[in-house]
């Protein structure tokens, strides 16, 4: 067994295909005379060559190809030194560089044909993303972080709960959860990221917030999955007396039958739930009435500047709060930033508020 470099690609059926680099130097192109033959008409007959650099790294040399060679979506001029997980495009053929201990495999062949000249503004495929290896590290725990933001009684300002928020401090990944979930979406790995954030948050914050209820976020993709329920069961077994509220995103509140099932399964685990971002899209009034949640979190778009909003908007928000109260749910105002907004929320019947006015998200160490 030797250290083996390979080029990973995605087939037309979505399956991952691995082209083993048989040895160095290794010529890559469309022609059969190459060491590694890539069946793509955009490649030149001899498109590029892989050699070992004096530093020990792989050196990728473009052989004056017609359509260019790209590393991490930047066209190379001459040559470029490579590292594992770099994304390489030979014209529009996309690969990710892999390194592992493996046996050599046979080289794929391709029929003789002329090079197809692609347009100068060709769009490079994006089956692979930069920093996938670092994302794997994050999922496994390296660079995971979190924060907790207090939720307070609207009248007394007493802290009654905390919402756990996912964060990251991996040096090679975005800090913003929105950017991280955008990266996860491109890889269809949002559920993995959501699980990692939730488990980290519970392990770090639950021991420090004894006696407080914890609000946990759920990604819409996982809300009704068995993976999600298995995760909640593990959390409940580990913390049998912990007050838990699962936040159900507004976009997942679409099927009354599914919501009934969700409510029953959460009840069996002694876990309450909240409808999150209420009013950000559709108000989902039917689901609110048929499957009332324990809490309804009004999106900050309804709360910002509420004290100086038009009488019509204020009436709409007031009526929605009364509808929530009528179902037996607790209305919670998100994104409250100043005293005028807080007073307007109290006036309209909100029982809980959350926002920078009453507490910014803080790290576990700060608690």
């Amino acid at each position: 067994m030797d250290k083996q470099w390979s080029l990973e690609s995605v087939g037309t059926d979505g399956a991952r295909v691995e082209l083993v680099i048989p040895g160095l130097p290794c010529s890559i192109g469309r022609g059969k005379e190459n060491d590694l033959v890539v069946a793509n008409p955009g490649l030149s007959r001899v498109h590029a060559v892989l050699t070992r650099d004096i530093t020990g790294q792989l050196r990728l040399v473009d052989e004056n190809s017609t359509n260019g060679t790209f590393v991490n979506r930047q066209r190379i001029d001459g040559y470029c030194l490579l590292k594992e997980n770099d994304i390489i495009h030979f014209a529009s053929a996309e690969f990710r560089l892999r390194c592992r201990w493996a046996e050599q495999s046979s080289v794929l062949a391709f029929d003789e044909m002329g090079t197809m000249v692609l347009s100068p503004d060709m769009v490079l495929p994006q089956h692979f993303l930069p920093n996938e290896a670092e994302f794997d590290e994050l999922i496994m725990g390296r660079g995971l972080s979190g924060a907790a933001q207090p939720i307070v009684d609207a009248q007394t300002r007493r802290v009654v709960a905390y919402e756990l928020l996912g964060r990251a401090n991996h040096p090679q990944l975005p800090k913003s959860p929105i950017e991280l979930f955008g990266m996860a979406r491109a890889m269809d790995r949002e559920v993995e990221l959501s699980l990692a954030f939730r488990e980290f948050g519970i392990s770090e914050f639950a021991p420090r917030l004894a006696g407080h209820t914890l609000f946990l976020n759920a990604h819409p993709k996982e809300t009704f999955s068995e993976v999600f329920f298995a995760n909640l069961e593990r959390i409940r077994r580990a913390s049998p007396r912990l007050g838990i509220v699962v936040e159900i995103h507004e976009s997942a509140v679409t099927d009354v039958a599914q919501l009934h099932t969700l409510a029953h399964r959460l009840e069996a685990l002694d876990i309450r739930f909240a409808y999150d971002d209420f009013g950000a899209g559709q108000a989902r009034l039917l689901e609110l009435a048929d499957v009332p949640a324990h809490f309804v979190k009004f999106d900050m778009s309804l709360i910002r500047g509420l004290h100086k909003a038009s009488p019509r908007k204020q009436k709409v928000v007031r009526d929605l709060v009364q509808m929530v109260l009528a179902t037996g749910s607790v209305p919670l105002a998100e994104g409250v930033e100043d005293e005028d907004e807080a007073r307007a929320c109290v006036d309209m019947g909100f029982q809980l508020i959350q926002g920078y006015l009453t507490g910014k998200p803080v790290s576990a160490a700060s608690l």
Side-chain angles (χ1 to χ4, degrees):
M1 300 287 282
D2 294 318
K3 191 175 184 180
Q4 180 65 70
W5 293 96
S6 62
L7 295 173
E8 181 185 13
S9 65
V10 177
T12 55
D13 60 353
R16 297 293 171 101
V17 179
E18 200 157 352
L19 303 179
V20 174
I21 297 170
L24 298 174
C26 174
S27 61
I28 300 166
R30 191 191 69 253
K32 290 181 179 178
E33 67 271 24
N34 289 283
D35 301 300
L36 192 59
V37 181
V38 177
N40 186 297
L43 268 72
S44 298
R45 284 187 59 83
V46 179
H47 195 98
V49 175
L50 281 166
T51 64
R52 192 176 302 281
D53 188 71
I54 192 171
T55 63
Q57 294 176 270
L58 284 185
R59 178 197 288 250
L60 177 62
V61 182
D62 181 78
E63 293 292 296
N64 297 313
S65 63
T66 302
N67 293 310
T69 301
F70 303 78
V71 175
N72 297 323
R73 299 188 174 82
Q74 298 295 316
R75 186 164 184 166
I76 68 173
D77 182 13
Y79 74 91
C80 177
L81 296 181
L82 301 177
K83 61 182 183 298
E84 187 178 2
N85 294 310
D86 275 344
I87 298 167
I88 303 170
H89 287 84
F90 303 109
S92 61
E94 183 183 31
F95 300 90
R96 179 167 56 183
L97 184 66
R98 290 295 205 180
C99 183
R100 63 188 67 187
W101 295 94
E103 297 289 351
Q104 290 190 356
S105 297
S106 59
V107 178
L108 301 182
F110 189 47
D111 292 336
E112 296 284 346
M113 65 182 300
T115 301
M116 179 184 291
V117 180
L118 305 177
S119 65
D121 58 346
M122 66 178 176
V123 177
L124 299 179
Q126 297 190 40
H127 295 300
F128 302 115
L129 292 176
N131 302 118
E132 282 193 45
E134 290 77 13
F135 186 86
D136 289 338
E137 293 174 353
L138 182 71
I139 294 299
M140 297 303 294
R142 183 193 170 199
L144 276 176
S145 184
Q149 185 173 29
I151 296 171
V152 307
D153 182 284
Q155 296 276 1
T156 66
R157 304 289 174 89
R158 179 177 62 88
V159 176
V160 297
Y162 285 86
E163 179 183 355
L164 300 188
L165 305 167
R167 296 288 188 268
N169 54 25
H170 194 291
Q172 293 170 281
L173 292 175
K175 308 297 182 190
S176 162
I178 294 176
E179 291 183 65
L180 283 170
F181 272 106
M183 184 178 181
R185 182 172 60 254
M187 297 182 287
D188 194 25
R189 300 181 66 183
E190 302 102 306
V191 173
E192 291 179 67
L193 182 58
S194 181
L195 285 169
F197 277 147
R198 189 161 53 247
E199 294 197 350
F200 177 88
I202 285 291
S203 65
E204 287 292 307
F205 288 91
R208 301 168 184 263
L209 295 172
H212 288 93
T213 296
L214 301 186
F215 280 61
L216 310 178
N217 287 287
H219 192 275
K221 274 194 173 183
E222 67 176 328
T223 304
F224 304 107
S225 70
E226 290 304 318
V227 171
F228 178 58
F229 289 114
N231 175 245
L232 294 180
E233 288 170 3
R234 287 197 302 273
I235 292 173
R236 176 48 77 211
R237 284 196 302 270
S239 305
R241 291 184 295 276
L242 178 65
I244 301 173
V245 177
V246 172
E247 298 191 15
I248 308 301
H249 191 269
E250 191 265 351
S251 63
V253 184
T254 58
D255 187 303
V256 170
Q258 278 189 318
L259 287 171
H260 274 297
T261 301
L262 173 73
H264 291 147
R265 295 188 68 171
L266 291 178
E267 184 179 15
L269 293 171
D270 189 26
I271 292 176
R272 292 175 290 173
F273 70 100
Y275 289 143
D276 191 21
D277 294 332
F278 182 70
Q282 301 181 49
R284 304 294 183 193
L285 298 178
L286 175 63
E287 292 84 354
L288 180 67
D290 283 355
V291 192
H294 300 87
F295 303 87
V296 176
K297 301 185 73 173
F298 280 63
D299 187 72
M300 64 178 64
S301 62
L302 292 176
I303 305 303
R304 291 285 169 82
L306 187 57
H307 58 289
K308 54 186 179 182
S310 67
R312 181 180 299 174
K313 178 179 178 179
Q314 290 185 350
K315 184 179 187 309
V316 167
V317 175
R318 188 187 304 273
D319 289 347
L320 287 172
V321 170
Q322 294 307 309
M323 290 178 65
V324 167
L325 289 168
T327 66
S329 302
V330 175
L332 186 160
E334 286 191 287
V336 179
E337 294 194 343
D338 59 47
E339 288 292 349
D340 290 332
E341 286 177 352
R343 281 193 292 271
C345 289
V346 170
D347 179 61
M348 292 187 182
F350 281 100
Q351 296 178 336
L352 300 176
I353 60 175
Q354 177 182 358
Y356 278 17
L357 172 66
T358 53
K360 296 181 179 181
V362 295
S363 66
S366 299
L367 291 169

